[in-house]
Amino acid sequence: MPTTWFITGTSSGFGRLLTERLLARGDRVAATLRRPEALDDLHAKHGDRLWTALLDVTDAEQVHRVVDDAFKALGTIDVVVNNAGYGVFASVEEAADEQIRRVIDTNLLGSIHVIRAALPHLRAQGRGRILQVSTSGGQTVYPNFSYYHASKWGIEGFCETVAREIAPFGIGLTIVEPGATPTGFGASLDTAPVMPEYENTPAGEMRRAITSGAFNLPNDPQKIAEAIINLVDTGAAPLRLPLGSDTYDDVRASLVARLAEHDAHRDVAYSVVTDELI
């Protein structure tokens, strides 16, 4: 039986790749994006197996309306993919207030809106999958991405909690963490005027690596899309799925370092326990 997917941010990147591959194999896709005409070519090729809608995930009312419309039109949705995203590339002082609000509104609150809108329908079905597209930057950090990290660390914490809450309803949630991949995301990063004070800091070094093309993009976007689809096909629902050599290596190094630092403070942590419990 074909699987029915609801995917946000389908005009480009992983959203577009997933939509193309899923339609090509006979699945149905409810694709949402800011410019529905961007999928006219897929409409012409696949007909009514592609349902599209204009959606700005920062508009909570619109999110609920579009999700409701998608379930009504398609009857059942098996997989909800939170893919829409926005990136700010700037040091902590360089970013404008509007950029900070937009990255939080899109990556954190927007993803929350979609999950909250979909859950009543998935509970009524008694089954379903939610895939939250995050990044290696949901568990580790890189200079000049502080606000992007704030949104991704936030949504990962939210999703880890939600996964426990919705498991009794037969709904699985997986946080998908692609690494650096040539999907055009880097070119679409929002930037800010550079402050010379940060030029000779890790933020400046990262900026030069990105702008010069020296920053490594080791992963294949088609293979990442295939791995995401394969995950659903197998029925597995791990909490996190790292995709990319950089994701695996960088996140593992971060976790090892955090654990070492955590363990280093064991004595002082226990020293503040009330005397009655010692």
Side-chain angles (χ1 to χ4, degrees):
M1 293 291 292
T3 302
T4 303
W5 302 64
F6 179 96
I7 308 174
T8 65
T10 56
S11 63
S12 62
F14 293 124
R16 170 81 188 205
L17 289 175
L18 285 170
T19 301
E20 291 174 348
R21 295 179 75 95
L22 293 168
L23 291 170
R25 76 174 197 162
D27 284 354
R28 299 190 301 169
V29 179
T32 70
L33 62 170
R34 288 173 174 266
R35 297 181 298 103
E37 66 276 9
L39 298 183
D40 283 351
D41 59 323
L42 297 183
H43 257 305
K45 186 175 182 180
H46 299 286
D48 60 6
R49 285 194 294 108
L50 175 62
W51 182 94
T52 59
L54 172 69
L55 180 60
D56 178 354
V57 297
T58 68
D59 184 335
E61 182 178 345
Q62 186 183 51
V63 168
H64 281 269
R65 183 173 65 253
V66 169
V67 170
D68 289 348
D69 288 348
F71 273 90
K72 183 177 180 179
L74 299 173
T76 297
I77 292 177
D78 304 296
V79 187
V80 174
V81 184
N82 249 338
N83 171 72
Y86 166 72
V88 175
F89 183 67
S91 72
V92 63
E93 290 188 79
E94 292 167 348
D97 291 347
E98 188 278 331
Q99 292 175 309
I100 299 169
R101 284 191 297 269
R102 184 178 174 191
V103 75
I104 298 299
D105 285 348
T106 302
N107 300 350
L108 177 56
L109 295 179
S111 293
I112 290 173
H113 296 329
V114 172
I115 291 172
R116 283 171 52 82
L119 278 176
H121 299 282
L122 298 178
R123 281 194 296 102
Q125 293 177 174
R127 62 182 180 83
R129 294 289 304 278
I130 297 171
L131 302 182
Q132 175 63 55
V133 178
S134 182
T135 167
S136 57
Q139 291 196 76
T140 190
V141 299
Y142 307 96
N144 260 18
F145 285 98
S146 57
Y147 298 107
Y148 185 70
H149 290 313
S151 67
K152 291 301 187 181
W153 282 62
I155 196 58
E156 290 214 10
F158 173 81
C159 286
E160 187 163 344
T161 307
V162 170
R164 297 187 184 186
E165 295 177 353
I166 65 178
F169 304 126
I171 305 168
L173 189 155
T174 297
I175 303 166
V176 180
E177 299 173 329
T181 310
T183 60
F185 178 75
S188 67
L189 285 171
D190 202 357
T191 59
V194 176
M195 292 176 59
E197 291 86 349
Y198 284 89
E199 193 61 26
N200 294 316
T201 70
E205 294 171 8
M206 178 60 76
R207 180 182 295 108
R208 287 187 290 274
I210 294 286
T211 56
S212 69
F215 190 80
N216 191 28
L217 303 174
N219 307 304
D220 184 327
Q222 293 287 353
K223 288 183 177 180
I224 287 178
E226 182 179 1
I228 292 171
I229 296 170
N230 286 343
L231 174 72
V232 172
D233 287 348
T234 64
L239 178 60
R240 287 182 172 86
L241 179 67
L243 292 175
S245 57
D246 53 339
T247 294
Y248 183 86
D249 293 343
D250 292 355
V251 170
R252 188 180 191 283
S254 179
L255 292 173
V256 169
R258 288 168 63 193
L259 182 59
E261 183 177 22
H262 181 77
D263 287 345
H265 297 293
R266 182 184 185 281
D267 290 344
V268 69
Y270 275 79
S271 72
V272 302
V273 175
T274 59
D275 292 341
E276 291 81 1
L277 295 179
I278 297 177

